[in-house]
Amino acid sequence: MRYVLLGKINPEWITRSERFERSKEKLETLGIKLESVSYTQGTYDFVDIISTNDPNAAVAFSAWYAAQGFGSITTLPAFSAEEFGQAIGKI
């Protein structure tokens, strides 16, 4: 399963690379593959694409990120065009 992570970084962590390194380590520990990272302007500071076979791992990562004081993450399941088509076919 793929997920889109929409993240906000607390201002005190913006210039500290430790946040990113610790986050990468936690993703690996949870068995999550980081597919892409993009930094943005606007409501969110970054958009990540991750994949995992364990939906609980995605939730655990978002909770862990907030508990570290790094900021907050909105986690959205992401479906391929094929998966979306299959779902629509069930209507």
Side-chain angles (χ1 to χ4, degrees):
M1 184 73 200
R2 292 175 69 198
Y3 295 88
V4 175
L5 305 182
L6 303 174
K8 296 181 182 181
I9 304 171
N10 282 340
E12 60 270 15
W13 286 98
I14 284 285
T15 60
R16 297 175 60 186
S17 63
E18 175 190 356
R19 178 195 57 83
F20 184 71
E21 294 305 319
R22 287 178 51 196
S23 294
K24 279 179 43 177
E25 289 173 7
K26 187 63 174 181
L27 288 168
E28 289 176 18
T29 299
L30 291 169
I32 298 172
K33 178 183 177 191
L34 180 61
E35 294 186 9
S36 70
V37 177
S38 298
Y39 290 94
T40 59
Q41 293 178 312
T43 304
Y44 297 98
D45 299 314
F46 64 87
V47 177
D48 292 352
I49 306 296
I50 63 168
S51 60
T52 180
N53 292 329
D54 180 4
N56 293 329
V59 173
F61 178 75
S62 294
W64 172 87
Y65 189 88
Q68 303 308 298
F70 294 155
S72 62
I73 293 176
T74 299
T75 305
L76 305 170
F79 302 92
S80 68
E82 181 180 336
E83 291 167 328
F84 184 73
Q86 290 172 357
I88 296 301
K90 296 180 181 184
I91 293 176

